[in-house]
Amino acid sequence: MEKLSLGLEAMISAFPTFKKDYQLCLKITKRVWVAKHDIHLENRELAENVWNKANFDLRMNNLAENLLEDITNKNPDIQEAAAKALASLLTQLENNIINTIVKRLLNIFQEKLTMTKPVKDEFGHILEEGKDFWESRSGVALALEQLAPLVTSDIITSLINFYVSTGLGDRNEEVQSKMLFAGITLVSQRGKEHVNKLLPIFEKFLKKAPASGDFDAARSGVIVLMGTLARHLDSDDPKLKPIVNKLIEALSTPSQQVQESVAESLHPLIVKIKDEAPIILKKLMNRLLNGATYGDRKGAAYGIAAIVKGVGILSLKQYDIMSTLTDAIQDKKNYKHREGALFALEQLCRSIGRLFEPYIIHILPHLLLCFGDNSEYVRTAADECAKVVMSKLSGHGVKLVLPALLKALEDDSWRTKTGSVELLGAMAFCAPKQLSSCLPSIVPKLIEVLSDSHIKVQESGAQALRVIGSVIRNPEIQAIVNTLLDALQDPSTKIAICLSTLLNTKFIHFIDAPSLALIMPVVQRAFMDRSTETRKMAAQIIGNMYSLTDEKDLTPYLPTIMPGLKNSLLDPVPEVRSVSARALGAMVRGMGESSFEDLLPWLMKTLTSEASSVDRSGAAQGLSEVVGGLGLDKLHKLMPGT
């Protein structure tokens, strides 16, 4: 630490004075000031130390202007630090130059909107696309967000006009997003005093902008800003209801981005006009079930979920929402009713989350039937609904849903079976913690349906396994998913190839729960194979597995794997016995004795039994490896006379 301090002193002493080299001094001041606002704590602390010891002066001419160079830097970390540094500088300067800097930022944005022309050859073919300077515009958006609390009242209207006309509709999605955050910050912090000026700007844009197409991003952003502005209004403000009505109408915009934005803006506002909730819900429910277009019905689902989130989950019963949706999902005559009900259930689950779990078990039978619906639209809606439902389940929710789905596999109706299989596959979208607990029960059942008598059930089983394979995070396993799926569907001819591929794969990343769910059934089946080489490879894989995965993910598979490993330990072929013994030792060493409570008694019993010498030899090898993994203390307890 002392050496570091001496190094800082030496560096600071080498800094030029203002009189000697003003420009270099300005650059150093800027660099240290930006570093004081770096995203990394250690950099900030070091810069703070340098700043205090060097006695830099913030009042240097052009320091704020020089910071704009870093605002337009391509590195996002530098942009963020420079934006914070600029805002911090402007709060400490005595002369108010905030408006000048904001105007300079807007000019920079306009300059960086112009793309370079594409490079073409003599035949007019494009050799190099035109360059878009979106990184610089992104930096401007970050700076405007930081400066929002500082801007003076006379420039707020100009800024909002800029966001509406230019910023929110930028050609680059990242710039759009950052501009929206900047606009939200400005409206949240300064909008209350300017409601009467800002509201007409938003209304004028929404009235003139096309309902979809290139204006989707800008329209979505303006709706969010309008909703944010409305939060400043009192419950009895006459402007509030018209804004809510505009948001309700905007839900019909055929754009998911716009509908999501409206819903996000709507739920905080509905709290202020709870008395209107029944009327709005009735209107949206009618649009949900009878809307002329897909956009009408989908948007109504977003609106219903937003209102329920705003007024509370008790509204589901209070306003007969669930009973209406349950009737609609069973309406065999009108596919729009079934599709609309699924849209609403999806959005309610997405919006309310785990509070919606008690209702899931009741809608499950209807959801199962929708997977085999005659309408393609209903089947698609059921698939999307299932993904959201499963992604929101808690551990308790999984315990409620899983038995019902597994029981449905025993149903005589192939449509019910298919629905259950598809829902089981959708459980791949559960949270990781729930996923690791449910997959050991799901995948064996999916493997069983691969041999079902009905081809549709077989196909849905194969598809469900592919869905599970699609959520695998381990890149090494992801690369061989098709090989694993082939082995599960055709074990007699593909299992040896799969095991060989696994053994030859060099693992760098941890093996996650979905990977294990596909690997372990292959290994389990391999232990029953006639081929000595196949059984040996299975034992090798099990021996390697403990060091590549989390113990809690591997534990559920032990009851199905251990019988096969024990049989291999008693195999007539010495090499299989040897590999199996080492695998047992490695697993006990990695997972601890508590996971193998009956293993030592079984080994001791087999070792002293009147069985064949092959069994006793295998038990002896297994015991030596297991005790070697547990240590000398265990050896002394087992054989106190040694």
Side-chain angles (χ1 to χ4, degrees):
M1 196 68 187
E2 186 178 344
K3 288 182 179 178
L4 179 61
S5 181
L6 289 172
L8 285 177
E9 294 288 353
M11 180 183 71
I12 291 168
S13 66
F15 286 168
T17 62
F18 297 148
K19 291 181 179 180
K20 188 173 181 180
D21 194 335
Y22 184 89
Q23 288 302 318
L24 181 56
C25 189
L26 177 62
K27 287 181 180 179
I28 294 172
T29 303
K30 181 185 78 168
R31 287 269 57 83
V32 179
W33 183 249
V34 171
K36 269 167 58 71
H37 300 83
D38 196 88
I39 63 170
H40 298 291
L41 177 61
E42 59 270 27
N43 290 347
R44 294 200 300 272
E45 290 176 344
L46 188 59
E48 184 72 33
N49 198 1
V50 173
W51 185 270
N52 292 335
K53 289 186 176 181
N55 294 316
F56 287 113
D57 188 357
L58 279 178
R59 294 169 297 177
M60 295 182 69
N61 291 331
N62 299 325
L63 181 55
E65 187 73 23
N66 271 262
L67 283 171
L68 298 182
E69 295 175 1
D70 284 8
I71 295 292
T72 56
N73 192 289
K74 287 186 177 181
N75 187 308
D77 292 348
I78 294 176
Q79 288 179 354
E80 186 174 342
K84 291 176 180 177
L86 180 61
S88 179
L89 171 65
L90 294 176
T91 58
Q92 298 186 45
L93 291 179
E94 294 177 2
N95 54 329
N96 191 350
I97 59 168
I98 178 68
N99 287 3
T100 303
I101 293 298
V102 168
K103 289 175 182 176
R104 182 75 182 95
L105 285 167
L106 297 184
N107 288 337
I108 291 172
F109 189 94
Q110 293 291 350
E111 290 167 9
K112 299 300 181 181
L113 266 176
T114 306
M115 295 178 63
T116 59
K117 293 182 179 179
V119 178
K120 299 180 180 180
D121 62 15
E122 56 186 310
F123 304 107
H125 298 139
I126 295 176
L127 300 175
E128 186 180 327
E129 294 288 349
K131 187 175 180 182
D132 183 15
F133 301 98
W134 67 268
E135 298 96 339
S136 298
R137 301 198 302 278
S138 178
V140 170
L142 285 173
L144 291 174
E145 181 185 356
Q146 291 294 325
L147 296 179
L150 307 178
V151 295
T152 58
S153 296
D154 56 327
I155 204 174
I156 287 177
T157 305
S158 300
L159 260 178
I160 290 296
N161 272 313
F162 164 75
Y163 290 135
V164 170
S165 65
T166 309
L168 296 176
D170 193 273
R171 69 174 75 95
N172 181 272
E173 288 186 8
E174 189 169 333
V175 179
Q176 292 172 12
S177 176
K178 288 180 179 175
M179 278 292 172
L180 179 57
F181 280 121
I184 290 171
T185 304
L186 182 63
V187 173
S188 296
Q189 297 189 12
R190 310 296 302 280
K192 189 170 185 177
E193 59 205 85
H194 300 282
V195 171
N196 294 330
K197 291 181 180 178
L198 302 186
L199 192 56
I201 297 174
F202 300 145
E203 291 175 335
K204 183 179 179 181
F205 175 84
L206 292 175
K207 188 176 181 180
K208 290 188 174 182
S212 61
D214 295 339
F215 282 85
D216 276 357
R219 188 178 180 86
S220 168
V222 169
I223 289 168
V224 172
L225 293 183
M226 179 184 274
T228 304
L229 183 65
R231 295 182 196 182
H232 294 301
L233 301 176
D234 296 328
S235 300
D236 57 353
D237 194 308
K239 302 185 194 74
L240 185 58
K241 287 183 183 178
I243 289 177
V244 171
N245 288 333
K246 283 185 181 295
L247 292 173
I248 295 296
E249 291 307 313
L251 283 168
S252 293
T253 304
S255 162
Q256 182 179 347
Q257 184 182 7
V258 172
Q259 290 170 348
E260 287 177 351
S261 301
V262 172
E264 190 65 29
S265 301
L266 191 59
H267 77 81
L269 300 181
I270 208 70
V271 180
K272 297 184 176 187
I273 52 169
K274 278 189 176 182
D275 294 342
E276 297 291 315
I279 301 169
I280 297 173
L281 278 170
K282 186 176 180 180
K283 180 180 180 181
L284 287 174
M285 192 64 74
N286 180 59
R287 193 187 297 176
L288 175 78
L289 303 179
N290 303 305
T293 66
Y294 173 91
D296 283 338
R297 300 193 297 279
K298 191 77 172 178
Y302 275 103
I304 290 168
I307 291 170
V308 171
K309 184 177 180 180
V311 299
I313 195 167
L314 291 177
S315 60
L316 289 174
K317 187 174 182 180
Q318 184 180 355
Y319 302 128
D320 295 324
I321 294 173
M322 288 309 299
S323 59
T324 304
L325 294 178
T326 304
D327 291 341
I329 204 172
Q330 297 177 81
D331 187 343
K332 300 297 181 186
K333 295 180 180 179
N334 192 333
Y335 85 89
K336 287 184 179 180
H337 285 192
R338 301 193 298 279
E339 183 190 39
L342 288 166
F343 286 162
L345 292 172
E346 175 191 345
Q347 295 309 325
L348 284 168
C349 194
R350 191 191 302 275
S351 179
I352 303 170
R354 292 180 181 177
L355 291 175
F356 193 65
E357 270 187 7
Y359 297 95
I360 291 174
I361 194 70
H362 298 294
I363 65 169
L364 207 56
H366 310 305
L367 187 55
L368 286 172
L369 291 174
C370 287
F371 277 105
D373 198 274
N374 292 327
S375 168
E376 181 185 351
Y377 301 115
V378 176
R379 294 196 300 272
T380 302
D383 187 46
E384 293 301 316
C385 181
K387 289 178 183 177
V388 175
V389 166
M390 295 308 168
S391 69
K392 299 296 182 180
L393 284 180
S394 66
H396 177 68
V398 169
K399 290 176 184 177
L400 282 176
V401 168
L402 192 53
L405 293 180
L406 294 176
K407 187 177 180 181
L409 288 177
E410 301 169 10
D411 199 284
D412 292 333
S413 167
W414 70 267
R415 290 184 185 276
T416 304
K417 275 187 182 179
T418 301
S420 178
V421 168
E422 294 195 29
L423 264 178
L424 287 170
M427 290 189 103
F429 297 94
C430 285
K433 187 177 180 181
Q434 279 68 262
L435 194 63
S436 61
S437 67
C438 68
L439 281 179
S441 304
I442 292 172
V443 173
K445 291 293 184 181
L446 295 179
I447 294 171
E448 284 180 23
V449 303
L450 293 176
S451 56
D452 193 88
S453 58
H454 200 288
I455 187 67
K456 291 287 186 182
V457 180
Q458 293 177 24
E459 290 174 355
S460 64
Q463 176 59 26
L465 287 171
R466 282 194 289 273
V467 170
I468 291 171
S470 71
V471 299
I472 286 174
R473 295 177 183 173
N474 180 289
E476 293 86 34
I477 296 296
Q478 185 64 61
I480 59 170
V481 162
N482 290 335
T483 305
L484 287 165
L485 294 176
D486 288 345
L488 291 173
Q489 294 178 65
D490 185 11
S492 58
T493 60
K494 301 292 177 65
I495 206 159
I497 298 170
C498 180
L499 293 174
S500 178
T501 303
L502 278 169
L503 280 175
N504 292 326
T505 300
K506 184 177 180 181
F507 288 97
I508 300 173
H509 303 84
F510 231 44
I511 296 177
D512 55 352
S515 300
L516 275 181
L518 298 186
I519 292 171
M520 298 311 278
V522 172
V523 174
Q524 182 187 352
R525 173 65 177 76
F527 277 127
M528 298 184 288
D529 200 87
R530 292 182 181 180
S531 166
T532 300
E533 187 62 27
T534 300
R535 296 196 303 275
K536 187 177 80 172
M537 285 192 292
Q540 286 176 303
I541 289 169
I542 283 295
N544 294 336
M545 201 62 68
Y546 83 92
S547 62
L548 298 171
T549 190
D550 199 318
E551 180 185 335
K552 70 176 180 0
D553 291 340
L554 193 57
T555 300
Y557 296 99
L558 292 181
T560 55
I561 290 296
M562 286 306 294
L565 191 54
K566 287 178 179 178
N567 287 336
S568 292
L569 190 64
L570 310 180
D571 197 276
V573 179
E575 193 175 0
V576 175
R577 295 201 300 271
S578 178
V579 171
S580 300
R582 287 197 297 272
L584 272 176
M587 291 175 72
V588 172
R589 192 180 301 114
M591 300 180 67
E593 185 184 0
S594 60
S595 299
F596 306 89
E597 291 179 357
D598 66 333
L599 181 57
L600 280 173
W602 177 80
L603 287 170
M604 293 296 288
K605 183 179 178 182
T606 307
L607 182 64
T608 57
S609 69
E610 296 298 324
S612 69
S613 60
V614 168
D615 289 2
R616 291 196 296 275
S617 173
Q621 284 180 281
L623 186 63
S624 65
E625 292 286 351
V626 169
V627 172
L630 295 174
L632 286 174
D633 289 345
K634 196 65 184 179
L635 177 64
H636 293 320
K637 287 180 182 178
L638 279 173
M639 303 176 180
T642 58

